[in-house]
Amino acid sequence: MAGSNVWSFLFFFMVCCLAVDSQFAMTEVVVTTLMDEFPHLIKKYIRRKELVVLIVVCLAFAIGIPTIFEGGMYWFQLMDWYTAIVSVIIVALFEVIAVCYIYGAGRLSRNVKEMMGELPNIFFRVCWWVISPTLCVFIFISNCASYEVVTYGDYVYPSWAEILGWIVASLSIVWIPVGMVHAFLTAEGNVAKRFMDTLTPKVAKIENDNTVGKDNIAMEGEMTKTENGQVEMGNHESEKVESNGF
């Protein structure tokens, strides 16, 4: 093939960019979760977000070191078998159920309108209501029906490796029932009220456009700073002063 070296370089450069882009998203999820959950500890001991990112990246690098050894492909196959086939589809299924049916695709559409000014395209709403849940359920059932013990070529993994694989898969799945139980126990009322409370979104209602417009008009009278740094009172404040005779 003409220019095969160039095409080879471009291909692996594309794979490298794809891998880096994927790592950005996954690393940011972990870093944001840590900073939101432990803000005081991070502010006290680490202080800078860059150091948090460095710690997360170094830990991820250390965990991935065994995969580059002679038996690394066997470890990689074991992890990939139970995370890509088992845990990912289960987590995706519960995410679809939570977002589309518990929180509500209609409420999500209104949130998009509040941010973007218009409702999302009907195609996306149909995907949220029908297509995505249907595909997730179909893939989940298909994976359960076609499940086989992990293998790599002709090598069949021993029983302890299969147990280890399920433990790895459960690390991301177990928090779903744990979160359900925690929400149920921390809710108030009887069993039925607690159950309904866990299925009710806790999102504050955003005021309608008329109220927001009135608030904007009221804000026009707030104090503003001039170019010289002095503070001036708005129109409604100055009217109050004049009415009082000052």
Side-chain angles (χ1 to χ4, degrees):
M1 179 179 180
S4 58
N5 292 334
V6 176
W7 291 112
S8 177
F9 169 79
L10 292 176
F11 172 77
F12 284 101
F13 180 72
M14 179 271 295
V15 173
C16 181
C17 291
L18 180 63
V20 171
D21 178 72
S22 301
Q23 290 301 316
F24 267 115
M26 290 186 287
T27 303
E28 189 64 26
V29 168
V30 176
V31 171
T32 303
T33 302
L34 292 175
M35 297 190 68
D36 289 346
E37 189 69 24
F38 310 105
H40 301 294
L41 293 177
I42 292 176
K43 185 177 181 180
K44 182 178 180 180
Y45 295 105
I46 303 179
R47 299 184 180 180
R48 296 180 64 88
K49 180 181 178 180
E50 292 81 0
L51 294 178
V52 180
V53 176
L54 178 62
I55 293 172
V56 171
V57 170
C58 290
L59 288 175
F61 176 78
I63 294 173
I65 288 178
T67 61
I68 66 174
F69 294 153
E70 185 175 356
M73 189 59 201
Y74 293 93
W75 287 107
F76 176 81
Q77 178 72 356
L78 180 65
M79 301 298 106
D80 181 68
W81 191 278
Y82 287 97
T83 55
I85 297 179
V86 178
S87 57
V88 170
I89 187 60
I90 293 178
V91 172
L93 177 61
F94 278 95
E95 284 181 349
V96 169
I97 294 174
V99 173
C100 298
Y101 298 113
I102 297 179
Y103 183 74
R107 186 179 284 108
L108 180 62
S109 299
R110 292 192 295 272
N111 293 151
V112 174
K113 182 179 179 180
E114 291 164 359
M115 293 182 288
M116 306 297 295
E118 59 182 7
L119 289 172
N121 189 282
I122 187 64
F123 170 77
F124 294 103
R125 284 179 277 170
V126 171
C127 286
W128 295 337
W129 277 315
V130 181
I131 298 178
S132 295
T134 302
L135 289 177
C136 287
V137 172
F138 175 79
I139 295 173
F140 176 73
I141 295 175
S142 176
N143 287 344
C144 292
S146 61
Y147 173 77
E148 297 179 355
V149 179
V150 56
T151 58
Y152 178 59
D154 296 331
Y155 179 76
V156 179
Y157 284 72
S159 299
W160 66 265
E162 186 176 2
I163 296 174
L164 178 62
W166 278 109
I167 292 175
V168 172
S170 65
L171 291 177
S172 57
I173 300 173
V174 70
W175 303 111
I176 298 175
V178 169
M180 293 178 180
V181 173
H182 177 266
F184 181 82
L185 294 178
T186 55
E188 299 179 352
N190 53 33
V191 175
K193 188 176 183 303
R194 289 188 179 192
F195 180 75
M196 294 304 300
D197 186 66
T198 58
L199 299 179
T200 304
K202 307 297 190 299
V203 180
K205 293 183 179 179
I206 297 178
E207 298 175 338
N208 57 36
D209 296 337
N210 295 331
T211 306
V212 173
K214 294 178 181 178
D215 292 340
N216 291 336
I217 295 174
M219 289 293 291
E220 292 178 358
E222 294 293 332
M223 291 187 299
T224 58
K225 289 187 177 181
T226 64
E227 295 180 356
N228 298 327
Q230 298 177 347
V231 178
E232 292 183 345
M233 291 183 297
N235 297 331
H236 72 289
E237 291 292 340
S238 60
E239 291 174 359
K240 286 183 181 179
V241 173
E242 292 176 359
S243 65
N244 292 331
F246 290 96

